Amino acid sequence: MIIFQNDFILYKNIHKPLNMPLSNLNQEQKEAILCKSGYNLIIASAGTGKTSTIVGRISHLLNNGVKPNEILLLTFTNKAASEMVSRVSNIFSKQIAKEIMAGTFHSVSYKLLKELEINITLKQPNELKTLFKSIYEKRVFMDRSDEANPYDGGYLYDMYSLYLNSNNSEDFTSWLKEKNSTQEIYSLIYEDVIDEFNNLKKQYGYVNFDDLLTTMLEILKDKRFNFKEILVDEYQDTNPLQGRLLDAFLPQSLFCVGDYDQSIYAFNGSDIGIISSFSKRYPDANVFTLRKNYRSTKPILDLATKVIEHNERIYPKKLEVVREQNIHLPKLLAFDELFSQYEYISELISKSSTEHSEIAIIYRNNSSADGIEANLREFGIPAKRKGGMSFFDSVEVKFILDILVLQVISNDMMAFIHIVEHGKGIGKAIAKDIFDALIKLGNGNLLNGLFYPNKDINNPYETKRKNQQLGLFDDFIELGTVSKFKDCNFEEAFLGNPILKHPKLGVDGAKYIYDLYLLLKQLKRTKNPETMVTSISSSMIYSKLKDMLSTKRATQKDGTVNSIQKTKSLAKINRKAMLLKNLSRNFSDLSKFINSMILGGSELSEGEGVNLLSIHASKGLEFKEVYIIDLMDGRFPNRKLMSKGGSLEEERRLFYVAVTRAKDILYLSFAKYDKLKKTSFVASPFLREAGMIIEDKE
């Protein structure tokens, strides 16, 4: 028997799961799960079972006739989406669960665009930054001693990304003026750089994560998807672009789960106003609150509540603690010196009976991680670090992967620029010039341009028309000569390549490109990933890169190079190359290896041990034993970031998130002095708000 109600098709006694999750849920969770279709907001504080509630809602929809492919689940990590889908599969089946469209805003947009056969090539977050910089470097800014300096290329790229995610329909110049009025004088140049950047992306079919959302937004103007309900996890972290995208889907029913006290991504464009205005934007909205906390003990939750209540309360809530066992009062650790803090905590952990995987050290700034990581190693305690630079984000690893990319996609402009820009005296702009020249010389094929250049082309470098207003200049007034390379012992075939005629290409730069030429020539002989990684890591060009990076990382403020530090840096680079080689052994197909490294790199690089986490990296996790370190005013709250657009309210929310990661044991620590920087500190105001400090002791 089939009946229609609230736009859902209800099937009676058909496909009922054996274990309905409702029996394991509290009354508040049940009310949220069983709510009518429409606009529903569920305020789910830390540890109140939001994942169970979302899974329960999906189960309810499936049990009442909604098809799995009519459900869209949006999360802020693909890991969270996978976990929820996995739990649904345990209730129903893997076949049903896998039909649910689930993932981040970006990954879902990517899937849908691919389904529509939209021609796009997704690039890593920093990949297109290189292209942007190469365009920016072609501009000349007139000296304005009385005005603010222009943004550099990298910062302008970040600002443009922030604009795309956080603007409220205003143009870039207006948005920029509001952010920093002194930059308005450069807006014409900035907009021209952005226009050229967007045109080049369109030409090559490149998209970054921002483009996935903006492209999807355009598609939704004419295309409808038949989702009966859209569920959104971590709704408090939604930014204006994601908010517009969500509305563009024209959802029949919306089920948003979040907590305004855990909104910590304002720096990335997230807007707490989106969750706080839910009831105003959707007049018929229902708001449910989950109050029972299953994670933390009462003393830990009380401490977190004392602090967060100093923020304005948007939706009233009073949490109830369910747990009664393992009651440990939070402890304050105060130290006279910064590094004695790290040493003492390492010693505590060495004596702790808690498993390392259940221990987390949480910090506001990544700079705090180095000291604690070094001390843990001294005590022989294994640690894994999240929230800092990933293994796969390091220059030395990306370099190897980019050379491998050229074996699969020889015309990949971004990979080529990433490789060549490191040559002495080259940089991004010249690297792009050489790429364009090789494409021309190879009649559209980069490798042909390198190995078999068109002999009819004498000058592959086009002159650029002057345009002072847009900051452009004539880069190639006079074609260079190859005579300066006659003593370099190049192969005759390479010496005759017109790319050497670039007027700004010096001897060191030419030798660097020659090293690349020899390596690519060698790599033509094999397709085995391990053999290729071995060849690259032992090549002359990689040796030059290692020397450049290790020298740079060991250069002190006075310009001298610390030889011991350089040796250590070289050893770290070599270890990374060896790890990549070990990873490659599991693959026989080069394309599969590259895809695995780019898409799953972070997971592959994770080790085991004590968890070292920035607060942002700790979000959504829980641990038996938690240490929150460096609780000094200036560091936490981070006054520097507050002065650049942050707020004390957001810093307080960060503290709340950090504290609520702890289940049983919580340590809060601070130090009064840093002997290396000769800096004195006072305790964080959050420690006073928590009632841990009455007054500073001299």
Side-chain angles (χ1 to χ4, degrees):
M1 177 182 178
I2 300 176
I3 57 175
F4 295 84
Q5 182 180 331
N6 298 322
D7 297 322
F8 291 102
I9 303 175
L10 307 180
Y11 293 88
K12 285 192 172 182
N13 302 316
I14 299 177
H15 304 304
K16 292 283 186 182
L18 296 175
N19 299 305
M20 271 295 287
L22 290 179
S23 61
N24 301 319
L25 301 174
N26 63 46
Q27 187 60 35
E28 291 172 344
Q29 292 170 327
K30 290 178 184 177
E31 286 177 5
I33 287 168
L34 299 174
C35 67
K36 294 181 179 180
S37 63
Y39 297 101
N40 297 293
L41 174 64
I42 291 79
I43 302 298
S45 297
T48 56
K50 70 176 179 69
T51 300
S52 297
T53 303
I54 292 172
V55 172
R57 178 63 176 181
I58 294 172
S59 300
H60 173 67
L61 295 175
L62 292 171
N63 268 308
N64 286 277
V66 179
K67 298 175 183 176
N69 61 6
E70 295 175 334
I71 298 171
L72 172 59
L73 170 62
L74 294 169
T75 61
F76 274 77
T77 67
N78 286 314
K79 184 179 178 182
S82 297
E83 181 187 344
M84 292 179 195
V85 170
S86 176
R87 288 172 66 170
V88 172
S89 70
N90 292 333
I91 300 168
F92 293 86
S93 68
K94 288 184 179 180
Q95 186 64 36
I96 289 174
K98 75 177 185 179
E99 290 185 39
I100 297 169
M101 179 64 71
T104 63
F105 280 87
H106 300 99
S107 66
V108 164
S109 295
Y110 185 70
K111 291 175 190 173
L112 293 175
L113 291 170
K114 283 294 185 182
E115 283 182 9
L116 296 172
E117 298 184 349
I118 306 296
N119 185 28
I120 54 173
T121 301
L122 181 62
K123 288 294 180 180
Q124 283 291 325
N126 283 325
E127 285 283 289
L128 292 178
K129 198 171 193 174
T130 299
L131 174 61
F132 191 92
K133 286 179 176 179
S134 74
I135 296 167
Y136 177 92
E137 288 173 11
K138 288 287 189 183
R139 276 39 185 198
V140 173
F141 295 85
M142 299 298 107
D143 184 25
R144 301 175 185 262
S145 56
D146 59 329
E147 302 283 357
N149 292 322
Y151 293 147
D152 65 35
Y155 192 75
L156 179 61
Y157 179 89
D158 293 338
M159 289 297 287
Y160 180 58
S161 177
L162 182 61
Y163 158 75
L164 290 174
N165 284 281
S166 63
N167 82 88
N168 288 304
S169 301
E170 69 263 54
D171 61 86
F172 179 70
T173 296
S174 301
W175 179 87
L176 184 65
K177 184 180 177 181
E178 187 178 329
K179 288 285 181 184
N180 189 345
S181 60
T182 62
Q183 292 294 312
E184 189 180 6
I185 57 175
Y186 306 113
S187 60
L188 191 61
I189 299 176
Y190 290 166
E191 287 191 342
D192 191 64
V193 170
I194 290 167
D195 286 345
E196 186 175 342
F197 173 65
N198 286 328
N199 287 335
L200 269 173
K201 282 194 300 180
K202 189 175 181 180
Q203 180 184 340
Y204 285 93
Y206 291 158
V207 295
N208 58 20
F209 287 175
D210 295 335
D211 297 324
L212 289 175
L213 303 194
T214 55
T215 304
M216 194 71 237
L217 201 56
E218 283 297 311
I219 293 293
L220 287 171
K221 289 180 180 178
D222 304 307
K223 172 69 179 175
R224 288 290 306 274
F225 293 92
N226 189 34
F227 294 119
K228 293 289 180 63
E229 181 158 302
I230 299 178
L231 300 95
V232 187
D233 186 26
E234 305 288 2
Y235 185 63
Q236 76 280 348
D237 292 325
T238 306
N239 63 42
L241 175 58
Q242 293 164 338
R244 289 198 296 275
L245 184 62
L246 196 56
D247 286 337
F249 275 106
L250 302 177
Q252 298 179 35
S253 184
L254 199 55
F255 190 87
C256 300
V257 182
D259 179 14
Y260 54 90
D261 286 335
Q262 297 186 74
S263 177
I264 59 173
Y265 287 97
F267 70 92
N268 227 9
S270 71
D271 183 0
I272 195 172
I274 292 175
I275 189 171
S276 64
S277 65
F278 188 89
S279 297
K280 293 179 182 176
R281 289 183 291 110
Y282 307 116
D284 298 327
N286 297 301
V287 179
F288 302 85
T289 303
L290 307 183
R291 296 179 176 86
K292 294 185 183 296
N293 181 285
Y294 295 91
R295 176 185 298 161
S296 305
T297 59
K298 189 174 187 304
I300 293 173
L301 197 62
D302 284 348
L303 187 150
T305 301
K306 277 183 185 178
V307 176
I308 201 62
E309 283 183 343
H310 284 78
N311 280 359
E312 181 184 357
R313 314 314 294 145
I314 300 171
Y315 297 101
K317 62 178 180 180
K318 187 173 178 64
L319 297 181
E320 302 171 20
V321 177
V322 175
R323 290 185 53 203
E324 295 180 355
Q325 74 278 22
N326 300 326
I327 304 299
H328 301 267
L329 293 177
K331 293 182 180 179
L332 177 66
L333 305 176
F335 301 89
D336 290 327
E337 204 282 317
L338 187 68
F339 281 84
S340 62
Q341 170 193 208
Y342 305 144
E343 185 177 2
Y344 184 81
I345 289 173
S346 299
E347 187 177 359
L348 274 181
I349 291 172
S350 72
K351 297 175 180 178
S352 174
S353 59
T354 306
E355 291 185 17
H356 288 153
S357 61
E358 278 290 310
I359 298 175
I361 299 172
I362 301 176
Y363 38 83
R364 176 66 180 92
N365 310 302
N366 280 309
S367 58
S368 298
D370 296 331
I372 191 69
E373 189 173 21
N375 275 275
L376 287 170
R377 183 165 294 181
E378 194 172 333
F379 278 82
I381 301 169
K384 57 181 180 179
R385 184 171 171 178
K386 294 182 181 179
M389 179 174 283
S390 156
F391 168 82
F392 291 88
D393 287 336
S394 63
V395 174
E396 53 268 39
V397 173
K398 288 178 73 174
F399 186 91
I400 295 176
L401 292 176
D402 280 326
I403 289 178
L404 293 177
V405 166
L406 285 185
Q407 311 310 304
V408 179
I409 311 172
S410 63
N411 286 1
D412 194 307
M413 176 174 59
M414 302 311 307
F416 184 86
I417 293 175
H418 277 309
I419 297 163
V420 176
E421 67 171 319
H422 298 294
K424 191 173 180 180
I426 295 181
K428 295 178 179 64
I430 295 174
K432 184 177 179 296
D433 290 334
I434 294 171
F435 171 85
D436 291 337
L438 287 171
I439 293 293
K440 185 179 287 186
L441 289 165
N443 298 317
N445 186 293
L446 179 114
L447 293 181
N448 283 344
L450 187 60
F451 296 114
Y452 318 107
N454 188 332
K455 295 180 180 179
D456 295 330
I457 300 175
N458 182 53
N459 178 16
Y461 300 110
E462 293 181 349
T463 57
K464 303 293 190 296
R465 185 165 54 92
K466 272 187 180 181
N467 190 325
Q468 192 172 2
Q469 189 183 18
L470 295 179
L472 291 167
F473 62 97
D474 193 342
D475 203 4
F476 308 115
I477 298 171
E478 187 176 339
L479 196 63
T481 173
V482 299
S483 61
K484 55 187 171 183
F485 308 127
K486 60 182 176 58
D487 297 325
C488 293
N489 296 317
F490 293 156
E491 288 182 5
E492 189 175 336
F494 181 77
L495 187 60
N497 198 310
I499 61 167
L500 296 177
K501 294 181 179 180
H502 194 293
K504 293 188 177 181
L505 187 64
V507 170
D508 288 331
K511 287 181 177 178
Y512 184 85
I513 296 170
Y514 183 62
D515 291 334
L516 177 62
Y517 167 91
L518 293 175
L519 175 60
L520 293 176
K521 193 174 178 180
Q522 180 185 351
L523 293 176
K524 289 168 70 176
R525 303 169 191 160
T526 181
K527 292 295 180 186
N528 179 269
E530 184 183 358
T531 306
M532 285 187 166
V533 174
T534 302
S535 297
I536 297 167
S537 58
S538 59
S539 67
M540 179 58 71
I541 191 171
Y542 196 66
S543 179
K544 288 180 179 178
L545 180 82
K546 290 195 297 183
D547 186 73
M548 183 270 292
L549 290 175
S550 59
T551 301
K552 183 179 178 181
R553 293 167 185 177
T555 300
Q556 302 176 115
K557 288 183 177 180
D558 62 0
T560 59
V561 177
N562 185 318
S563 58
I564 297 173
Q565 191 59 44
K566 183 175 179 178
T567 302
K568 288 181 179 178
S569 183
L570 272 171
K572 286 181 180 178
I573 295 171
N574 287 330
R575 282 198 297 272
K576 288 182 181 180
M578 184 58 69
L579 175 56
L580 198 62
K581 181 182 174 181
N582 290 339
L583 292 172
S584 69
R585 289 173 180 170
N586 301 318
F587 296 84
S588 57
D589 184 274
L590 183 59
S591 295
K592 289 182 179 178
F593 174 61
I594 292 169
N595 288 337
S596 179
M597 295 302 100
I598 292 175
L599 298 176
S602 59
E603 286 83 1
L604 289 169
S605 66
E606 290 175 2
E608 295 298 326
V610 173
N611 300 273
L612 304 183
L613 302 162
S614 69
I615 298 172
H616 291 95
S618 76
K619 184 80 182 309
L621 305 176
E622 59 181 30
F623 305 92
K624 181 180 178 180
E625 189 170 329
V626 169
Y627 298 79
I628 305 174
I629 63 174
D630 286 354
L631 277 161
M632 293 88 76
D633 198 351
R635 286 202 172 190
F636 196 1
N638 189 318
R639 299 288 180 182
K640 186 177 180 181
L641 292 179
M642 285 169 58
S643 67
K644 294 182 176 179
S647 68
L648 185 62
E649 288 73 20
E650 174 130 337
E651 293 291 316
R652 196 174 279 119
R653 291 195 292 270
L654 283 159
F655 181 81
Y656 179 82
V657 168
V659 169
T660 53
R661 299 312 95 197
K663 294 193 291 185
D664 297 334
I665 302 168
L666 175 65
Y667 291 94
L668 306 172
S669 79
F670 76 99
K672 296 178 182 178
Y673 187 69
D674 182 350
K675 64 182 180 182
L676 293 180
K677 294 183 178 180
K678 295 182 170 49
T679 303
S680 296
F681 301 108
V682 297
S684 168
F686 302 147
L687 293 174
R688 285 192 189 83
E689 293 174 1
M692 302 292 284
I693 289 180
I694 306 300
E695 60 182 16
D696 281 336
K697 296 178 181 179
E698 298 296 329

